[in-house]
Amino acid sequence: MSADVANTDIERTRGLSYRPFAQSMLFVFDDEGQPSFWMKDMNFAIDIIWLRHDVVVGFEKDAQPERPAKTFYKPTALIDMALEVPAGT
């Protein structure tokens, strides 16, 4: 599996929005934190894998697109990366 990398604020804000089919994206953050994610303008469900120093520290399973987007997903631990993959991957 390959994943696009989002390592700027603009890329992280857009994420997988508007993509016509299921893809993966790795979000890389400059600092550790607990950023919020939402499913704005998404066309497919995803699993979100929360990572800190290349170790899985948690996940969200089967996050569903919403219109309008109103649910936010946030890790319960500090992270420096998040991997979004098509749900069930």
Side-chain angles (χ1 to χ4, degrees), residues 11-83:
E11 292 169 334
R12 287 187 292 260
T13 298
R14 182 173 170 120
L16 291 171
S17 297
Y18 303 106
R19 305 271 178 122
F21 56 89
Q23 295 175 308
S24 300
M25 182 167 282
L26 178 67
F27 294 79
V28 180
F29 299 95
D30 296 327
D31 300 307
E32 293 180 357
Q34 291 176 291
S36 295
F37 284 66
W38 63 343
M39 301 290 291
K40 184 177 184 317
D41 300 315
M42 291 284 294
N43 293 311
F44 51 92
I46 58 171
D47 294 335
I48 306 170
I49 303 159
W50 309 117
L51 301 153
R52 183 171 181 238
H53 305 296
D54 296 325
V55 175
V56 174
V57 295
F59 62 90
E60 295 290 338
K61 186 175 180 173
D62 201 29
Q64 295 291 320
E66 297 176 314
R67 286 192 178 45
K70 51 190 166 189
T71 301
F72 289 84
Y73 299 93
K74 189 172 183 174
T76 58
L78 293 175
I79 67 164
D80 57 4
M81 292 186 288
L83 179 62

